[in-house]
Amino acid sequence: PNIQKVENGEVINLHVDISHLENSVHSEQECIKCHTNVSSATNPVCLNSGPVDCSVCHAEQVDEWQLSQHSMELVSGNNDAPYCTDCHGKHDILSKDNRLSPTFARNVPDLCGRCHIEGGVAKSSVMSEEGIYQDYSMSIHGSLLTSGLTVTATCVDCHTAHRELPEENPLSSIHPDNVGETCAECHLGIYEQFRNSIHSPLVAETEKELPGCQDCHKAHTIQRTDQPTFREEIIDQCGRCHEDVTDTYFDTFHGKVSKLGALGAARCYDCHGSHNILPTYMPGSTLHRDNIVETCASCHENSNRKFVGYLTHATHHDKDKYPFLYYTFWFMTILLSGTFLFFGLHTLLWLPRGLTERRQVKKIKENSKKKKNGSDKKKE
């Protein structure tokens, strides 16, 4: 029979399909283990029993959840914030290894997407990004998951399963101080390279803010690094911090042909490396004098010591660093401008004389023609 109760004016159906429980991970548990507040003195027995306390068995997971943004939102009165049953179900709870479970890796984005989708119910005061689910679906992580590769990163791999926190929170797995370790769960080798690079706080001695994984690869719109769009955007990515160097890059041959759309032209990471970036004076740098020939040879097969003497970021705008280029540029500019000015002025001054001579020649031809016609008439 359908047993009902009224709570806050809403009629709630208390009927439980026993088959759901029999096929769940709790199939061997007695009802009383979860519904501890039921009383045989009430009718029905579950009247005013309150929500189930999952911490009786899952204390660690509940402790994590209580620290999460989901919990804080729920406590602050956001009834759309998820509780245990919203993600795991009630009586039909399945193991995360079960392909039918909403917490199975392949199903996790759809589960989180119930709220974190453009126009969804997520209304957290700390959420600044819309359409997270759509962005993830188009990313390399989402594409791999769609193709059937379930070991790729899903929401819980980056945000954790129960302690989801905004990136501003120091306890968050995606906080700038922690995001490297989070990505290292899958990309350990790359993270080890990054830790030894000039972008790592372990190497760089600077008070400036250093970039992390999310600064170059973004969060939910991560692309394949071998795609044209990534190569096109990398200069802008690096240019956010290295603005002056980026400007000089566009003064070089590499920069000019890349502006024209040549995807094969060397970008920042082709020369400096991607995760193992070091200053050129350090032996591990790809641009150190012991390594630069090999680096250039990746594009220029006949590269040699003389060839790599090419000043890649040399610019005529920097008089102190490149005085030869600076003065040569201005000498050639003045020479060229002076040449055009001299011959332009010469042409303007010559123009009246040229027009006068043209009129004179024309007049001579007309007089000559008249004389010829007069001579012909006399002969007749």
Side-chain angles (χ1 to χ4, degrees):
N2 289 333
I3 305 174
Q4 298 178 338
K5 73 171 183 178
V6 178
E7 186 174 287
N8 298 326
E10 181 182 357
V11 178
I12 301 176
N13 190 348
L14 302 179
H15 173 72
V16 176
D17 189 337
I18 194 64
S19 65
H20 290 172
L21 186 62
E22 289 175 345
N23 294 320
S24 77
V25 293
H26 291 159
S27 59
E28 297 182 1
Q29 303 294 333
E30 296 293 336
C31 303
I32 193 67
K33 190 162 186 178
C34 295
H35 299 280
T36 56
N37 294 329
V38 297
S39 172
S40 58
T42 61
N43 185 22
V45 294
C46 54
L47 182 65
N48 299 323
S49 60
V52 170
D53 183 5
C54 300
S55 66
V56 174
C57 298
H58 306 285
E60 182 180 349
Q61 287 80 2
V62 172
D63 287 343
E64 290 279 292
W65 176 81
Q66 288 178 337
L67 294 172
S68 73
Q69 187 66 27
H70 288 160
S71 174
M72 288 185 275
E73 290 289 327
L74 196 63
V75 170
S76 65
N78 183 356
N79 293 326
D80 292 323
Y83 185 64
C84 309
T85 53
D86 293 301
C87 297
H88 295 278
K90 295 181 179 179
H91 299 98
D92 55 348
I93 300 174
L94 299 173
S95 166
K96 66 177 182 179
D97 297 322
N98 189 312
R99 297 178 186 177
L100 299 178
S101 170
T103 57
F104 181 66
R106 183 175 57 191
N107 303 328
V108 164
D110 290 330
L111 173 64
C112 298
R114 295 177 188 174
C115 299
H116 300 282
I117 192 171
E118 191 169 356
V121 300
K123 300 174 182 176
S124 170
S125 58
V126 300
M127 284 184 60
S128 59
E129 186 175 355
E130 295 182 357
I132 294 175
Y133 173 73
Q134 291 93 331
D135 289 342
Y136 171 81
S137 300
M138 298 298 293
S139 73
I140 182 58
H141 288 154
S143 299
L144 289 174
L145 190 67
T146 303
S147 70
L149 188 64
T150 56
V151 294
T152 188
T154 63
C155 315
V156 296
D157 292 302
C158 300
H159 298 276
T160 74
H162 299 98
R163 197 181 66 180
E164 300 87 349
L165 289 167
E167 64 175 330
E168 295 83 7
N169 192 314
L171 297 177
S172 172
S173 58
I174 57 171
H175 184 271
D177 293 341
N178 306 323
V179 71
E181 292 287 349
T182 298
C183 296
E185 292 294 323
C186 297
H187 305 283
L188 179 59
I190 291 175
Y191 179 59
E192 289 175 342
Q193 288 184 3
F194 176 80
R195 280 170 57 88
N196 294 317
S197 76
I198 194 61
H199 287 158
S200 169
L202 301 177
V203 177
E205 298 179 0
T206 178
E207 295 181 356
K208 294 182 179 180
E209 185 178 355
L210 295 171
C213 312
Q214 77 285 0
D215 292 303
C216 299
H217 296 281
K218 302 180 183 178
H220 298 102
T221 56
I222 299 174
Q223 303 180 58
R224 288 179 61 103
T225 57
D226 57 354
Q227 293 299 306
T229 50
F230 184 83
R231 286 187 62 82
E232 289 172 356
E233 294 173 2
I234 194 63
I235 299 173
D236 292 332
Q237 295 280 12
C238 298
R240 290 186 299 174
C241 299
H242 305 284
E243 186 175 354
D244 294 341
V245 178
T246 304
D247 289 340
T248 62
Y249 167 80
F250 285 113
D251 285 334
T252 68
F253 174 79
H254 289 153
K256 291 182 183 300
V257 295
S258 68
K259 270 189 171 182
L260 295 174
L263 294 176
R267 261 65 170 185
C268 313
Y269 60 79
D270 292 310
C271 301
H272 295 274
S274 49
H275 303 100
N276 56 336
I277 301 172
L278 289 169
T280 57
Y281 60 80
M282 297 185 71
S285 171
T286 55
L287 296 180
H288 185 268
R289 63 174 288 104
D290 294 337
N291 306 320
I292 189 171
V293 174
E294 182 181 355
T295 299
C296 293
S298 61
C299 294
H300 307 279
E301 296 180 0
N302 297 322
S303 178
N304 53 48
R305 178 63 60 186
K306 192 171 184 179
F307 177 82
V308 299
Y310 165 68
L311 300 176
T312 50
H313 284 280
T315 173
H316 58 272
H317 297 297
D318 192 337
K319 181 174 68 173
D320 297 329
K321 194 171 183 180
Y322 305 104
F324 179 79
L325 284 178
Y326 176 82
Y327 289 112
T328 300
F329 169 79
W330 281 111
F331 172 76
M332 294 303 297
T333 300
I334 294 172
L335 178 62
L336 185 63
S337 300
T339 301
F340 276 106
L341 180 62
F342 174 79
F343 284 103
L345 182 61
H346 177 272
T347 302
L348 289 175
L349 293 174
W350 187 266
L351 184 60
R353 182 173 179 178
L355 293 174
T356 301
E357 289 184 353
R358 187 173 181 180
R359 285 195 296 268
Q360 289 175 349
V361 170
K362 185 177 180 181
K363 188 175 182 180
I364 290 171
K365 287 182 177 181
E366 289 177 349
N367 292 335
S368 176
K369 189 176 181 180
K370 288 179 180 179
K371 289 180 179 180
K372 184 179 180 180
N373 292 335
S375 176
D376 292 339
K377 287 181 179 179
K378 288 181 179 180
K379 288 179 181 181
E380 291 177 355

